[in-house]
Amino acid sequence: MSEPRTSRERYRAQVREDIKRHAWEQIATAGASALSLNAIAKRIGMSGPALYRYFASRDDLITDLVRDAYRSLADAFLARAAEGTDLPGLAGTLRAWALADPQRYFLVYGTPLPGYHAPEDTALTASEIMTVLLDACAAQDGPDTRPPGVVPPAEGYFAEHGEWTRGHPASPAARLRALTVWTRLHGVLSLELAGGFHGMGFDPAVLYAAEVESLMK
Protein backbone atom coordinates (compact mmCIF):
# COMPACT_ATOMS: atom_id res chain seq x y z
CA MET A 1 0.00 0.00 0.00
CA SER A 2 1.43 3.40 -0.98
CA GLU A 3 1.88 6.09 1.63
CA PRO A 4 -0.76 8.88 1.66
CA ARG A 5 0.67 12.01 0.05
CA THR A 6 -1.69 14.88 0.84
CA SER A 7 -2.61 16.15 4.30
CA ARG A 8 -6.17 14.98 3.72
CA GLU A 9 -4.98 11.50 2.78
CA ARG A 10 -2.72 11.39 5.83
CA TYR A 11 -5.57 12.47 8.08
CA ARG A 12 -7.88 9.82 6.62
CA ALA A 13 -5.23 7.14 7.07
CA GLN A 14 -4.67 8.20 10.70
CA VAL A 15 -8.40 8.08 11.46
CA ARG A 16 -8.68 4.62 9.93
CA GLU A 17 -5.77 3.44 12.09
CA ASP A 18 -7.43 4.91 15.19
CA ILE A 19 -10.66 3.11 14.33
CA LYS A 20 -8.80 -0.17 13.88
CA ARG A 21 -6.95 0.29 17.18
CA HIS A 22 -10.24 0.71 19.01
CA ALA A 23 -11.67 -2.24 17.10
CA TRP A 24 -8.86 -4.48 18.38
CA GLU A 25 -9.51 -3.25 21.92
CA GLN A 26 -13.19 -4.08 21.54
CA ILE A 27 -12.40 -7.51 20.10
CA ALA A 28 -10.05 -8.22 23.01
CA THR A 29 -12.87 -7.39 25.43
CA ALA A 30 -15.93 -8.93 23.79
CA GLY A 31 -14.78 -10.89 20.74
CA ALA A 32 -15.01 -10.13 17.03
CA SER A 33 -18.67 -11.14 16.79
CA ALA A 34 -19.58 -8.25 19.12
CA LEU A 35 -17.69 -5.64 17.10
CA SER A 36 -19.79 -2.46 16.87
CA LEU A 37 -18.95 0.51 14.68
CA ASN A 38 -21.31 2.74 16.65
CA ALA A 39 -19.54 1.84 19.89
CA ILE A 40 -16.18 2.63 18.30
CA ALA A 41 -17.52 5.94 16.99
CA LYS A 42 -18.61 6.88 20.50
CA ARG A 43 -15.18 6.00 21.90
CA ILE A 44 -13.37 8.31 19.49
CA GLY A 45 -15.91 11.14 19.65
CA MET A 46 -17.36 10.64 16.20
CA SER A 47 -20.90 10.14 15.03
CA GLY A 48 -21.91 6.81 13.59
CA PRO A 49 -22.58 8.20 10.11
CA ALA A 50 -19.21 9.98 10.14
CA LEU A 51 -17.38 6.74 10.94
CA TYR A 52 -19.10 4.99 8.05
CA ARG A 53 -17.24 7.34 5.73
CA TYR A 54 -14.07 5.48 6.74
CA PHE A 55 -15.48 1.95 6.89
CA ALA A 56 -18.70 1.29 5.03
CA SER A 57 -19.75 -1.60 7.28
CA ARG A 58 -18.65 -3.85 10.11
CA ASP A 59 -17.53 -6.42 7.53
CA ASP A 60 -15.46 -3.78 5.77
CA LEU A 61 -13.64 -3.07 9.05
CA ILE A 62 -13.19 -6.76 9.82
CA THR A 63 -11.74 -7.30 6.35
CA ASP A 64 -9.14 -4.62 6.98
CA LEU A 65 -8.23 -6.26 10.30
CA VAL A 66 -7.99 -9.67 8.61
CA ARG A 67 -5.77 -8.22 5.88
CA ASP A 68 -3.49 -6.68 8.51
CA ALA A 69 -3.31 -9.96 10.45
CA TYR A 70 -2.43 -12.10 7.45
CA ARG A 71 0.05 -9.50 6.22
CA SER A 72 1.73 -9.44 9.62
CA LEU A 73 2.23 -13.22 9.70
CA ALA A 74 3.26 -13.37 6.05
CA ASP A 75 5.91 -10.71 6.66
CA ALA A 76 7.14 -12.57 9.76
CA PHE A 77 7.41 -15.83 7.78
CA LEU A 78 9.18 -14.13 4.87
CA ALA A 79 11.64 -12.48 7.23
CA ARG A 80 12.35 -15.82 8.90
CA ALA A 81 12.71 -17.57 5.54
CA ALA A 82 15.26 -14.94 4.46
CA GLU A 83 17.47 -16.26 7.26
CA GLY A 84 17.01 -19.86 6.12
CA THR A 85 13.95 -21.93 5.36
CA ASP A 86 13.58 -24.50 8.12
CA LEU A 87 10.56 -25.93 9.88
CA PRO A 88 11.70 -25.36 13.50
CA GLY A 89 12.39 -21.70 12.73
CA LEU A 90 8.99 -21.22 11.08
CA ALA A 91 7.28 -23.04 13.94
CA GLY A 92 8.92 -20.70 16.41
CA THR A 93 7.88 -17.70 14.34
CA LEU A 94 4.28 -18.90 14.24
CA ARG A 95 4.11 -19.39 18.01
CA ALA A 96 5.74 -16.05 18.77
CA TRP A 97 3.31 -14.30 16.42
CA ALA A 98 0.31 -16.04 17.97
CA LEU A 99 1.33 -15.33 21.56
CA ALA A 100 2.06 -11.69 20.78
CA ASP A 101 -1.62 -11.06 20.01
CA PRO A 102 -4.03 -13.95 20.64
CA GLN A 103 -7.06 -11.99 19.40
CA ARG A 104 -5.34 -11.36 16.08
CA TYR A 105 -4.61 -15.09 15.87
CA PHE A 106 -8.20 -16.08 16.62
CA LEU A 107 -9.58 -13.58 14.11
CA VAL A 108 -7.94 -15.47 11.24
CA TYR A 109 -7.54 -18.99 12.65
CA GLY A 110 -10.37 -19.23 15.16
CA THR A 111 -14.09 -19.90 14.76
CA PRO A 112 -15.42 -18.20 11.60
CA LEU A 113 -17.63 -15.18 12.17
CA PRO A 114 -21.26 -15.96 11.29
CA GLY A 115 -22.23 -14.35 8.00
CA TYR A 116 -18.77 -12.98 7.25
CA HIS A 117 -16.93 -13.97 4.08
CA ALA A 118 -13.39 -12.68 3.56
CA PRO A 119 -12.58 -11.43 0.05
CA GLU A 120 -10.21 -13.27 -2.28
CA ASP A 121 -7.26 -10.97 -1.67
CA THR A 122 -7.03 -12.14 1.94
CA ALA A 123 -6.65 -15.70 0.66
CA LEU A 124 -3.84 -14.53 -1.60
CA THR A 125 -1.94 -13.12 1.37
CA ALA A 126 -2.60 -16.28 3.34
CA SER A 127 -1.15 -18.26 0.43
CA GLU A 128 2.15 -16.41 0.89
CA ILE A 129 2.37 -18.01 4.33
CA MET A 130 1.70 -21.46 2.92
CA THR A 131 4.26 -20.90 0.15
CA VAL A 132 6.99 -20.36 2.74
CA LEU A 133 5.85 -23.48 4.58
CA LEU A 134 5.77 -25.50 1.36
CA ASP A 135 9.30 -24.33 0.57
CA ALA A 136 10.47 -25.61 3.96
CA CYS A 137 8.69 -28.93 3.54
CA ALA A 138 9.95 -29.39 -0.01
CA ALA A 139 13.51 -28.84 1.26
CA GLN A 140 13.04 -31.98 3.37
CA ASP A 141 12.39 -34.17 0.35
CA GLY A 142 14.98 -36.90 -0.06
CA PRO A 143 15.42 -39.59 -2.70
CA ASP A 144 12.35 -41.77 -3.10
CA THR A 145 13.50 -45.29 -2.21
CA ARG A 146 10.06 -46.85 -2.43
CA PRO A 147 9.32 -49.50 -5.07
CA PRO A 148 7.94 -48.03 -8.30
CA GLY A 149 4.24 -47.38 -8.13
CA VAL A 150 4.05 -47.62 -4.33
CA VAL A 151 2.43 -44.38 -3.21
CA PRO A 152 0.64 -43.91 0.15
CA PRO A 153 -3.05 -43.14 -0.43
CA ALA A 154 -2.82 -39.69 1.15
CA GLU A 155 0.07 -38.68 -1.10
CA GLY A 156 -1.86 -39.93 -4.12
CA TYR A 157 -4.82 -37.84 -3.04
CA PHE A 158 -2.77 -34.65 -2.70
CA ALA A 159 -1.13 -35.32 -6.05
CA GLU A 160 -4.60 -34.76 -7.51
CA HIS A 161 -5.77 -32.02 -5.10
CA GLY A 162 -3.17 -29.29 -5.12
CA GLU A 163 -5.30 -26.23 -5.90
CA TRP A 164 -4.53 -24.76 -2.48
CA THR A 165 -0.79 -24.68 -3.33
CA ARG A 166 -1.48 -22.13 -6.09
CA GLY A 167 0.98 -23.76 -8.47
CA HIS A 168 3.78 -24.44 -6.01
CA PRO A 169 5.99 -27.26 -7.38
CA ALA A 170 6.10 -29.14 -4.06
CA SER A 171 5.83 -32.90 -4.34
CA PRO A 172 2.70 -34.66 -3.03
CA ALA A 173 4.78 -35.81 -0.04
CA ALA A 174 5.80 -32.22 0.72
CA ARG A 175 2.19 -31.05 0.33
CA LEU A 176 1.02 -33.64 2.84
CA ARG A 177 3.91 -32.76 5.17
CA ALA A 178 2.99 -29.05 5.01
CA LEU A 179 -0.65 -29.72 5.85
CA THR A 180 0.34 -32.04 8.68
CA VAL A 181 2.71 -29.44 10.14
CA TRP A 182 0.09 -26.70 9.79
CA THR A 183 -2.76 -28.60 11.41
CA ARG A 184 -0.74 -30.06 14.27
CA LEU A 185 0.93 -26.79 15.23
CA HIS A 186 -2.35 -24.90 15.07
CA GLY A 187 -3.93 -27.61 17.17
CA VAL A 188 -1.48 -27.01 20.01
CA LEU A 189 -1.58 -23.22 19.62
CA SER A 190 -5.37 -23.02 19.55
CA LEU A 191 -5.67 -25.07 22.72
CA GLU A 192 -2.96 -23.06 24.46
CA LEU A 193 -4.42 -19.67 23.56
CA ALA A 194 -7.94 -20.76 24.46
CA GLY A 195 -6.76 -21.91 27.90
CA GLY A 196 -7.18 -25.58 27.11
CA PHE A 197 -4.07 -26.52 29.09
CA HIS A 198 -4.91 -24.38 32.10
CA GLY A 199 -4.54 -26.27 35.34
CA MET A 200 -2.79 -29.26 33.75
CA GLY A 201 0.53 -28.39 35.35
CA PHE A 202 2.86 -28.27 32.34
CA ASP A 203 4.42 -25.62 30.12
CA PRO A 204 2.71 -25.56 26.68
CA ALA A 205 6.01 -24.41 25.18
CA VAL A 206 7.49 -27.82 26.00
CA LEU A 207 4.57 -29.61 24.32
CA TYR A 208 4.87 -27.34 21.26
CA ALA A 209 8.60 -28.05 21.01
CA ALA A 210 7.95 -31.78 21.27
CA GLU A 211 5.38 -31.52 18.49
CA VAL A 212 7.87 -29.69 16.28
CA GLU A 213 10.52 -32.32 17.00
CA SER A 214 8.14 -35.15 16.10
CA LEU A 215 7.28 -33.41 12.81
CA MET A 216 10.96 -33.39 11.85
CA LYS A 217 11.24 -37.18 11.96
Side-chain angles (χ1 to χ4, degrees), residues 141-191:
D141 278 349
D144 192 347
T145 59
R146 297 172 299 197
V150 177
V151 179
E155 284 188 28
Y157 178 84
F158 286 109
E160 301 296 329
H161 296 81
E163 296 88 350
W164 60 277
T165 69
R166 296 184 181 271
H168 193 286
S171 68
R175 294 177 185 179
L176 177 58
R177 189 179 306 121
L179 290 175
T180 301
V181 168
W182 199 238
T183 54
R184 284 172 61 176
L185 294 186
H186 277 298
V188 176
L189 281 173
S190 296
L191 284 170

Side-chain angles (χ1 to χ4, degrees), residues 35-108:
L35 190 64
S36 166
L37 266 65
N38 286 330
I40 294 171
K42 185 176 180 180
R43 285 287 304 275
I44 62 178
M46 180 184 291
S47 70
L51 187 144
Y52 280 90
R53 291 201 294 268
Y54 296 92
F55 290 97
S57 66
R58 185 203 71 151
D59 284 3
D60 188 30
L61 174 55
I62 289 174
T63 292
D64 228 48
L65 299 178
V66 169
R67 286 191 180 113
D68 288 350
Y70 276 130
R71 185 72 265 154
S72 174
L73 182 56
D75 288 346
F77 262 39
L78 290 168
R80 181 62 186 83
E83 301 174 7
T85 303
D86 67 286
L87 285 176
L90 292 178
T93 296
L94 176 62
R95 186 168 188 271
W97 180 86
L99 293 181
D101 192 337
Q103 293 303 326
R104 177 180 60 184
Y105 174 88
F106 282 125
L107 182 65
V108 292

